[in-house]
């Protein structure tokens, strides 16, 4: 028989527990439990009323079964009955059951709350304590609603017992954390602050936790707590170890309270001079005590003492104002770095990380570099080594970068798999940030790839290429180094990528050496080709065509390779297309054209390293300890502005790796001023609308763009709500079905979607809809129909604002509804004579629009030319449609890759080129904008009608900067253009009168012909 | 503190206390994951580890693991001593902590509630906590009416 401790009479329970313990198998245990459950069920259902003792025993058994991991679906009512028992132990078990197995059954909650209310009013401190514990354990919103008003009163009442005050303080804290809106600040707050002066240290301990949490959100209300906390702390740290009696823990006076007080002080900046002096004394005392010999050998003594010390150091770092204290803290941590306790070494490394970011202690931290490197090599615990890596990263600056990077690299060879990727990112960042000599940088990154190629993410190798391209002084070295590295019999695919790219650009710089002649370079790369994945092979094909330009002597070899069946008939479309196009390009283009088309990449625009963004994403902002970084993070938080999108966001999904390098998917820079609307360009359709109720939901802009050429799909999605669209348009009318899906299991209340049209939009676009049911059940979907009529042309899109209540919180979402002008476009049949006749008729002065404006940014022909490579503009397709699509692709690439606002420029360029093509004149002008080969090639067979049609579509393309959307636009475009017979034009059913870009319109009152905007380059 | 778990060396959960609202499914998942992680660690390793966005502080007493999850800015060492103080309290009440494995599981919860509430230390004085528990015991004995052993073991 097991020993039953005194006072516990539930022998039946003990027997049951020991039965369970003696069960030999899981099955036997389940059998025993089911037997017991059946027994309890029958007792609860039986006719004989159970006495309190039995009820308690059975409820306790149920609880035990639940804690073993089995589901319990009855017994709640019996437990609630126990709450109203007058016997302490019965009440206690009842509360325990409720705390562990809360059920959202509303009837039950009412009963529970009633029982709690009675106990709180009982004035019996033990019962009050139980009731408060229960509220603190459950902490539900219902309980907050019922008791948040009552508990502060209990807390500050003069006659409340100390133990009840303690429970009340922490109970209130729990409710505040769960539902801050239900715990309003009031008169009680100032009295709570004075609990810091309470004689009972237990009360002070509990109250300090409460005050700390409240002060974080309401610093003004609680600022008097600072001086009280300092004087309390001062009394504690100067007390003799016996003064505080039972609050002294292994000779350390009130360690828990000290830690909490120091924590509270971290909610505030350094206090006024008077208080500050006292605080500094306290902190010095704590630092001094760390040097004293220990009063006990027990680990508890040192832990408690050091807990206070670390908290004091946190406060010193937080204030970051006393150089003297900072340096002392650093020295203290330095001692801990070599302590025999692993725990202390771990904490010292962690704490030093934050010290490294203070300007006062950065140098002091650096003196410990050897110890930290040693820790990296010798610590047996991976979590400690991880801290060492973090600290090395934090203490790195120009003076020690080479050493630290070298150590991290050598550690990488044996590092745990779990932290490799992070180390790779850190090394890459440090190498770039502190590179004086870029050959060192190139070596480091190539080493990274060699040692941990699998952990080198795309951002890392993109970055090395960007840097090599931007710095001429390192290009030759880079080419030589990758060439050597590639000679290793087995090299990582990432190295092949970097090698392929760099040799394609700069292979000529080492071709003079017979050991790395063009043919050897090519053979070396091609020997890796078949082992690589599709994206890498695609990249290598681009390298080959670049070789054709760089080294005419290997042209035939490369053509043979391109011509082979494994390329031309490759199952992968991307590879096949590249092979076909490159082969054609190499055979039809003159050397001149090749030289232009395949010219060296232009420098990349400087921007924040995408690697840094990735590290931040991976580790959270707190670990990027660079001081400036931290500050910038903070300011970003304050403004609520999202970080600039890292280039990596787009990289993952795009199929063409060479294009990714430019970060085409990166968001275009925001327009600096109001859009130049004077021209009335179609592009204005896509400029941001001015009116919105809630700020537009992040990401909705992307979705909006996706809908320009699409009618169905998901417009918006977050954790709660999904909005789907289905729409159809005919002539000037349209109908849109909006589907609101509740993704949660809880009802949305007061669900009200509203359509908002800006004033000028209202006149041009008629939207009619019926209100939807204000409640949306969990998991349900409701539909709303919007009837749309386009009265006149418009530029902005209506905004859909949705407001509802979810679980008591108010939700407000705004998204732009994708109703754009192009939805109402209509093709129209027209013989070519008719067309030109109409075109010529549009010659009245009112029917012409011309706007001349200065380009905001210089149009660098060199850059433009090079950028054109991106779209692989060597349009070699068989018919003109393909050519046009390629043209558009090219323009799209141009539009999205030019660093400065490209939309308007690209559009103008486009319309201009159309005009040139239409008339077949002014070729020379076009040459200033586009590479020769390109223009001459396109000109040969050109259908003006198609160009005009594309003209209209182009703004759509320029607005859809995402790769995916561009793709779908292309598809859309191809269907549009292929349906155009000769002599067909485009019309918008009298909706569009004055248009841009030479769009021919059917005559109507006030029809206007517009002229192409003329770009005046500032160049 | 976000939660505290006590489990045996064989991975059996003995006590769980959650100070943040989580669904049962999540609790089970967290428990499974943590028990595995902690049991896999070697004896000399440090008592802290980063886990998700929390810090785990754990310590082993005989065959029982005590494991607390605290937030980023919380103090690891003082949490370690919270565990120790709780062990001392259990020791005082039960004589030996191992017995917690078997009996009086409800009492372990009561003691914890007196010591920690809402995830924060409520009362650090051992005397005061024990006083509260003893008072309860006293109340209990007064209330208890003697019962025959047969009735106890009988068909209960």
């Amino acid at each position: 028989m097991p020993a039953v401790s005194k006072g516990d009479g539930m022998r039946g329970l003990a027997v049951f527990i020991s039965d369970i313990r003696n069960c030999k198998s899981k099955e036997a245990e389940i059998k025993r439990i089911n037997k017991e459950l059946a027994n309890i069920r029958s007792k609860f259902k039986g006719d004989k009323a159970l006495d309190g003792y039995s009820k308690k025993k059975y409820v306790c058994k149920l609880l035990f079964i639940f804690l073993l991991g089995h589901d319990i679906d009855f017994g709640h009512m019996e437990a609630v009955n126990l709450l109203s028992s007058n016997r302490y132990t019965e009440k206690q078990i009842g509360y325990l059951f409720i705390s562990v197995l809360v059920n959202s059954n509303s009837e039950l909650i009412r009963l529970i709350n009633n029982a709690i209310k009675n106990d709180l009013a009982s004035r019996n401190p033990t019962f009050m304590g139980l009731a408060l514990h229960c509220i603190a354990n459950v902490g539900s919103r219902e309980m907050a609603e019922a008791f948040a008003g009552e508990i502060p009163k209990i807390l500050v009442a003069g006659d409340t017992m100390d133990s009840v005050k303690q429970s009340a303080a922490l109970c209130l804290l729990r409710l505040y954390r769960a539902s801050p809106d239900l715990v309003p600040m009031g008169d009680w707050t100032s009295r709570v602050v004075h609990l810091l002066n309470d004689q009972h240290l237990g009360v002070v301990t509990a109250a300090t936790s409460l005050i700390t949490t409240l002060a974080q959100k309401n610093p003004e209300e609680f600022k008097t707590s600072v001086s009280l906390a300092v004087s309390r702390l001062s009394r504690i740290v100067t007390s003799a170890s016996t003064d505080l009696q039972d609050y002294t823990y292994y000779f350390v006076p009130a360690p828990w309270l000290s830690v909490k007080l120091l924590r509270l002080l971290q909610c505030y900046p350094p206090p006024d001079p008077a208080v500050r002096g006292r605080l500094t004394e306290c902190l010095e005392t704590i630092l001094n005590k760390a040097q004293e010999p220990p009063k006990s050998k027990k680990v508890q003594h040192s832990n408690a003492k050091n807990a206070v010390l670390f908290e004091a150091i946190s406060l010193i770092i937080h204030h970051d104002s006393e150089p003297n204290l900072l340096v002392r803290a650093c020295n203290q941590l330095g001692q801990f770095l070599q302590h025999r306790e692993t725990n202390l070494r771990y904490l010292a490394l962690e704490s030093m990380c934050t010290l490294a970011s203070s300007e006062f202690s950065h140098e002091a931290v650096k003196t410990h570099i050897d110890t930290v490197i040693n820790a990296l090599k010798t610590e047996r615990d991976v979590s400690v080594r991880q801290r060492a890596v973090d600290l090395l990263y934090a203490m790195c600056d120009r003076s020690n970068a080479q050493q630290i990077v070298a150590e991290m690299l050598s550690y990488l060879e044996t590092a745990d798999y779990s932290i490799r990727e992070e180390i790779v990112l850190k090394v890459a960042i440090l190498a770039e940030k502190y590179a004086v000599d870029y050959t060192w940088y190139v070596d480091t990154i190539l080493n990274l790839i060699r040692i941990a190629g699998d952990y080198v993410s795309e951002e890392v190798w993109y970055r090395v290429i960007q840097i090599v391209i931007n710095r001429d002084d390192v290009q030759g070295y880079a080419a030589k180094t990758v060439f050597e590295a590639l000679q290793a019999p087995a090299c990582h695919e990432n190295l092949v990528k970097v090698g392929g790219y760099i040799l394609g650009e700069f292979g000529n710089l080492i071709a003079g050496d017979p050991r790395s002649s063009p043919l050897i370079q090519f053979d070396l790369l091609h020997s890796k080709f078949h082992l690589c994945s599709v994206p890498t092979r695609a990249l290598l094909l681009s390298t080959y065509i670049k070789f054709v330009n760089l080294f005419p002597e290997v042209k035939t070899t490369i053509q043979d390779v391109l011509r082979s069946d494994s390329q031309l008939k490759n199952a992968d479309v991307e590879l096949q297309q590249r092979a076909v196009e490159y082969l054609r390009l190499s055979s039809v283009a003159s050397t001149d054209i090749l030289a232009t088309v395949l010219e060296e990449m232009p420098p990349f625009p400087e921007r924040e390293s995408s690697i840094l963004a990735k590290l931040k994403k991976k580790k959270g902002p707190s670990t990027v300890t660079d001081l400036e970084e931290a500050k910038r993070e903070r300011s970003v938080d304050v403004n609520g502005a999202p970080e600039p999108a890292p280039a990596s966001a787009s990289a993952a999904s795009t199929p063409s790796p060479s294009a990714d390098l430019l970060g085409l998917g990166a968001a275009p820079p925001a327009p600096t001023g109001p859009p130049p609307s004077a021209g009335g360009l179609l592009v204005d359709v896509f400029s941001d609308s001015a009116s919105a109720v809630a700020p537009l939901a992040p990401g909705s802009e992307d979705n909006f763009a996706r809908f320009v050429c699409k009618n169905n799909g998901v417009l918006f999605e977050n954790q709660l709500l999904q909005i789907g669209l289905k729409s159809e348009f005919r002539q000037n009318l349209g109908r849109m079905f909006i589907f609101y899906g509740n993704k949660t299991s809880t009802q949305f209340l007061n669900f009200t979607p509203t359509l908002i049209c800006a004033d000028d939009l209202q006149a041009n676009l008629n939207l009619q809809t019926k209100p939807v049911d204000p409640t949306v059940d969990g998991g349900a979907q409701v539909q709303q129909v919007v009837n749309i009529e386009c009265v006149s042309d418009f530029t902005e899109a209506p905004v859909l604002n949705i407001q509802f209540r979810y679980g008591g919180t108010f939700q407000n979402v705004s998204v732009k509804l994708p109703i754009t002008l192009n939805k109402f476009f209509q093709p129209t049949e027209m013989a070519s004579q008719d067309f030109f006749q109409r075109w010529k008729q549009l010659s009245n002065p009112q029917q012409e629009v011309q706007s001349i404006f200065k380009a905001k940014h210089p149009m660098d022909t060199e850059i433009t030319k090079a950028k054109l490579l991106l779209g692989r503009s060597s349009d070699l397709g068989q018919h003109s449609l393909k050519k046009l699509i390629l043209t558009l692709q090219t323009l799209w690439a141009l539009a999205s890759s030019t660093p400065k606002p490209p939309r308007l420029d690209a559009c103008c360029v486009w319309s201009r080129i159309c005009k040139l093509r239409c008339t077949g004149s002014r070729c020379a002008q076009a040459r200033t904008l586009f590479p020769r080969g390109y223009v001459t090639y396109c000109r040969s067979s050109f259908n003006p009608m198609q160009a005009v049609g594309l003209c209209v579509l182009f703004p759509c393309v320029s607005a859809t900067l995402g790769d995916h959307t561009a793709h779908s636009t292309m598809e859309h475009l191809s269907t549009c253009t292929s349906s155009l017979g000769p002599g067909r034009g485009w019309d918008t059913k009298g909706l569009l009168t004055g248009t841009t870009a030479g769009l021919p319109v059917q005559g109507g009152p006030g029809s206007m012909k517009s002229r192409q905007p003329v770009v005046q380059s500032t160049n | 503190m976000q939660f505290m778990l006590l489990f045996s060396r064989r991975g059996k959960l003995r006590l769980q206390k959650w100070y943040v609202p989580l669904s049962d499914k999540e609790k089970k998942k967290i428990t499974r994951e943590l028990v595995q992680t902690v049991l896999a660690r070697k004896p000399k390793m440090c008592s802290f580890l980063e886990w998700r966005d929390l810090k785990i502080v754990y310590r082993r007493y005989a065959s029982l693991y005590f494991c607390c999850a605290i937030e980023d800015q919380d103090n690891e060492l003082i949490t370690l001593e919270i565990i120790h103080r709780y062990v001392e309290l259990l020791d005082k009440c039960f004589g030996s902590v191992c017995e917690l494995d078997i009996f009086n599981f409800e009492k372990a919860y009561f003691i914890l509630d007196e010591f920690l509430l809402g995830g924060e230390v409520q009362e650090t004085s051992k005397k005061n906590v024990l006083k509260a528990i003893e008072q309860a015991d006293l109340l209990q004995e007064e209330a208890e009416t003697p019962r025959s052993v047969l009735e106890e073991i009988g068909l209960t």
Side-chain angles (χ1 to χ4, degrees), chain A residues 7 21 246-247 249-250 343, chain B residues 14 47 81 88 123 125 140:
Chain A
R21 291 283 293 180
D246 208 33
Y247 288 92
Y249 178 85
Y250 291 88
N343 287 345
Chain B
R14 295 296 179 212
S47 317
E81 293 319 298
E88 286 181 347
E123 178 54 85
S125 155
Q140 183 165 340

Side-chain angles (χ1 to χ4, degrees), chain A residues 741-763:
Chain A
N742 181 346
K743 288 170 69 183
T744 69
S745 50
T746 317
Q747 265 190 345
F748 292 164
L749 300 173
N750 304 344
F751 188 84
T752 30
T754 327
L755 290 167
I756 301 159
C757 289
D759 294 341
D760 46 341
L761 183 57
Q762 238 157 19

